Amino acid sequence: MAERSHKLGLIGAGNMGAGLVRGAVSGGMLAKDQVVFYDPDPQRQEAMQTLLGTSAAAGNEAVVSQAEVVVVAVKPQVVGPVLSPLASLLSRDHLVISIAAGVRLHRLRELCGPHPTLVRVMPNILCTIGEGAAAYSTDEELDEAQTAFVEELLSSVGIVTHLEERLLDAVTGLSGSGPAFAAVFIGALIDGAVAAGLPREVATQLAAQTVRGTAQWVLEGAHPAQVKDAVTSPGGTTAAGLRVLERRGLRSAAAEAVAAAAYRSEQLGR
């Protein structure tokens, strides 16, 4: 990958795109002057200018001409109008990373032409706080430098894994939609604690920390069943609560929610 004046170009400076750049810059992967960006929204442009200390590019064409790696962070419905005019500018030196939900690699190839290397990423909203969970796919094998760049960029805002594209709908249902599912569960814990007498502020802190700590325990290698068994005593309080969750179908409802979101992602991708 040839050296250019800017390493990374960002098209679309919304939450996801800005979150990626913020993570890469704050983590030391990129210097501020290695990023060029464009967004038609003046407020988003102003926010990125404040972050980077540089002005926005004149347009998407200017981003492509100055950066060898182009992150496409726009809504799925505008991917076509954004990328089609850029096809003639995209060369074999370009690596195009799309985080547009549901836009498959074959569609990106139609829009970008035969030359650039393409990467499709399914990130999630938690990348905006550096705790993202992303997966990516490609339509051709990346070289060593490209692979390192993609993984370092996504790792700067969380964890990343490389998967076949056919699995990205499942990723969408799990980590893409999962923050909403987890937030509903945390909210339910809070409401239950308030009903039991805790002030809402205290309940919120305890519930959120409990879920975060449990997640960390699992990330460190504990199986969810091990965590459950470690907390549950025969005839105790946890056992009483778990009986209610099983009776009300929490486990099956959560699994079906992920499957339904994955199926909807597949439908939208068609």
Side-chain angles (χ1 to χ4, degrees), residues 29 136 142-155:
M29 177 190 175
Y136 73 95
L142 302 183
D143 64 31
E144 186 176 343
Q146 291 168 334
T147 300
F149 187 95
V150 170
E151 298 209 346
E152 187 176 0
L153 175 66
L154 297 174
S155 295

Side-chain angles (χ1 to χ4, degrees), residues 127-197:
C127 77
T128 60
I129 60 167
E131 296 290 346
Y136 73 95
S137 298
T138 63
D139 67 347
E140 59 185 88
E141 188 173 348
L142 302 183
D143 64 31
E144 186 176 343
Q146 291 168 334
T147 300
F149 187 95
V150 170
E151 298 209 346
E152 187 176 0
L153 175 66
L154 297 174
S155 295
S156 71
V157 290
I159 64 170
V160 59
T161 186
H162 181 211
L163 295 172
E164 297 176 41
E165 187 179 24
R166 65 182 181 83
L167 297 175
L168 289 193
D169 290 320
V171 173
T172 301
L174 176 58
S175 56
S177 300
F181 304 156
V184 168
F185 179 65
I186 292 172
L189 292 179
I190 294 168
D191 289 344
V194 170

Side-chain angles (χ1 to χ4, degrees), residues 2-270:
E3 290 296 329
R4 295 195 179 193
S5 58
H6 289 92
K7 182 72 172 181
L8 182 144
L10 176 66
I11 296 177
N15 288 336
M16 294 286 202
L20 277 176
V21 169
R22 189 180 302 111
V25 170
S26 64
M29 177 190 175
L30 295 172
K32 292 181 178 181
D33 62 2
Q34 288 180 284
V35 180
V36 61
F37 72 96
Y38 176 75
D39 192 296
D41 185 318
Q43 290 186 323
R44 290 177 177 176
Q45 283 205 14
E46 184 178 354
M48 285 298 293
Q49 287 170 182
T50 300
L51 171 65
L52 299 174
T54 58
S55 298
N60 295 331
E61 293 83 358
V63 171
V64 171
S65 68
Q66 295 179 66
E68 63 176 344
V69 180
V70 179
V71 175
V72 181
V74 299
K75 297 293 185 183
Q77 59 267 30
V78 299
V79 166
V82 165
L83 286 180
S84 290
L86 304 178
S88 62
L89 302 175
L90 292 168
S91 71
R92 295 190 184 279
D93 291 332
H94 281 103
L95 172 63
V96 177
I97 302 173
S98 170
I99 63 172
V103 182
R104 283 161 162 66
L105 286 165
H106 71 84
R107 176 58 175 157
L108 293 172
R109 180 59 68 195
E110 290 173 353
L111 294 169
C112 293
H115 301 306
T117 302
L118 302 181
V119 176
R120 177 188 168 196
V121 179
M122 181 60 228
N124 70 359
I125 193 65
L126 301 180
C127 77
T128 60
I129 60 167
E131 296 290 346
Y136 73 95
S137 298
T138 63
D139 67 347
E140 59 185 88
E141 188 173 348
L142 302 183
D143 64 31
E144 186 176 343
Q146 291 168 334
T147 300
F149 187 95
V150 170
E151 298 209 346
E152 187 176 0
L153 175 66
L154 297 174
S155 295
S156 71
V157 290
I159 64 170
V160 59
T161 186
H162 181 211
L163 295 172
E164 297 176 41
E165 187 179 24
R166 65 182 181 83
L167 297 175
L168 289 193
D169 290 320
V171 173
T172 301
L174 176 58
S175 56
S177 300
F181 304 156
V184 168
F185 179 65
I186 292 172
L189 292 179
I190 294 168
D191 289 344
V194 170
L198 283 181
R200 183 163 293 274
E201 181 179 351
V202 173
T204 298
Q205 292 178 333
L206 294 177
Q209 177 60 34
T210 297
V211 172
R212 180 166 69 177
T214 304
Q216 185 60 42
W217 200 354
V218 172
L219 285 172
E220 291 177 2
H223 190 280
Q226 289 179 290
V227 178
K228 175 179 71 68
D229 290 346
V231 180
T232 307
S233 301
T237 59
T238 305
L242 286 172
R243 282 200 306 274
V244 174
L245 294 180
E246 292 295 340
R247 188 166 65 245
R248 297 298 179 90
L250 173 70
R251 186 192 302 267
S252 61
E256 289 178 24
V258 172
Y263 178 66
R264 182 57 177 157
S265 174
E266 182 183 357
Q267 287 183 310
L268 292 173
R270 293 173 186 168

